[in-house]
Amino acid sequence: MKYIGVFLILILVGCVSSPPYPKAKINGKYEILGAKIYSPNELGWYLIQHSQNSITFGTIPTSTDSVIANINLFWVGEFDKDNDFLESIIAERYKNNDKERWFNRVVENNFITFKENSCFSYKTVAEDHQSKSKSRKSFQYYNTIGNICRHPANKNTAIQVEVSYRADSKEIPIAIKAIAERFINNLELLGDEIG
């Protein structure tokens, strides 16, 4: 009888603590306007948001760590040259509109060609002084790894593919780096007009 009581408590705790999101398919194909991506290839990922312009996957956060993987389309404007287009995005990203919350530690941008598209890859490390996790530290580290590309069929539009990791530790675990590399490399830009 004692074991049945413990079992029922575990079931109830599991029901209460399960996230309100559907589980993501393992390495499943998802599409937005002008792009498709494959969800992370590991167990424990959830589909947090899926619209025409973005997809967000996440893991169940621990008390201090969380991982998010997403793609996002956004309008930039008219630029003749790819470099001018990308430099305008970099300039916007350098602006910090919430200096009380964010302190940038590392910002690396590198111009690349990704699957025949003009892009820049980036790595950032910031201090988040208003993290909502249960960390006992005065701030958490927020790491991002990603690419931003000019969409080949929609020259006024950019697509961002990113994995972010929030934790008390400044370093990203090797397993998270591997997930980020696979997720980013799985992005496929389609020749469809976004309209």
Side-chain angles (χ1 to χ4, degrees), residues 8-9 14 26 31 33 38 77 108 130 150 157 162 168 183:
L8 288 173
I9 289 171
I26 296 174
E31 292 193 28
L33 292 173
Y38 292 85
E108 295 177 11
Q130 294 176 12
R150 190 172 201 182
T157 304
E162 175 182 277
D168 288 344
F183 183 73

Side-chain angles (χ1 to χ4, degrees), residues 132-147:
K132 305 241 186 297
S133 81
K134 295 177 182 173
S135 174
R136 295 174 190 243
K137 299 200 174 221
S138 61
F139 67 88
Q140 283 200 296
Y141 290 101
Y142 184 70
N143 287 270
T144 62
I145 301 170
N147 288 349

Side-chain angles (χ1 to χ4, degrees), residues 27-193:
N27 201 37
K29 182 173 75 170
Y30 292 83
E31 292 193 28
I32 62 171
L33 292 173
K36 67 180 173 180
I37 192 82
Y38 292 85
S39 56
N41 198 26
E42 294 78 21
L43 292 171
W45 285 86
Y46 292 84
L47 180 62
I48 295 172
Q49 188 267 338
H50 187 185
S51 70
Q52 288 186 334
N53 297 328
S54 66
I55 302 171
T56 303
F57 303 101
T59 59
I60 298 174
T62 66
S63 61
T64 59
D65 297 13
S66 63
V67 185
I68 298 288
N70 69 299
I71 63 172
N72 180 41
L73 277 173
F74 59 95
W75 186 84
V76 177
E78 292 186 31
F79 290 88
D80 291 331
K81 296 180 181 174
D82 290 347
N83 269 8
D84 293 342
F85 178 88
L86 296 172
E87 285 175 1
S88 74
I89 297 169
I90 291 171
E92 283 298 312
R93 286 171 56 85
Y94 271 111
K95 294 178 182 175
N96 183 353
N97 295 330
D98 191 349
K99 294 185 189 314
E100 290 182 22
R101 178 174 184 177
W102 300 105
F103 176 75
N104 290 330
R105 288 280 194 112
V106 176
V107 178
E108 295 177 11
N109 297 303
N110 295 299
F111 290 97
I112 62 168
T113 300
F114 176 76
K115 299 184 180 180
E116 301 179 15
N117 298 291
S118 295
C119 307
F120 69 90
S121 66
Y122 60 88
K123 292 180 183 176
T124 67
V125 181
E127 293 177 8
D128 180 355
H129 289 266
Q130 294 176 12
S131 173
K132 305 241 186 297
S133 81
K134 295 177 182 173
S135 174
R136 295 174 190 243
K137 299 200 174 221
S138 61
F139 67 88
Q140 283 200 296
Y141 290 101
Y142 184 70
N143 287 270
T144 62
I145 301 170
N147 288 349
I148 296 180
C149 301
R150 190 172 201 182
H151 196 284
N154 303 276
K155 295 297 188 180
N156 296 339
T157 304
I159 188 158
Q160 177 180 31
V161 57
E162 175 182 277
V163 172
S164 61
Y165 176 67
R166 182 186 311 275
D168 288 344
S169 170
K170 186 177 178 182
E171 298 302 317
I172 300 178
I174 293 169
I176 304 295
K177 287 181 182 178
I179 289 169
E181 185 176 337
R182 274 193 308 275
F183 183 73
I184 291 165
N185 286 328
N186 278 336
L187 175 67
E188 293 182 34
L189 299 179
L190 308 175
D192 304 343
E193 285 290 331

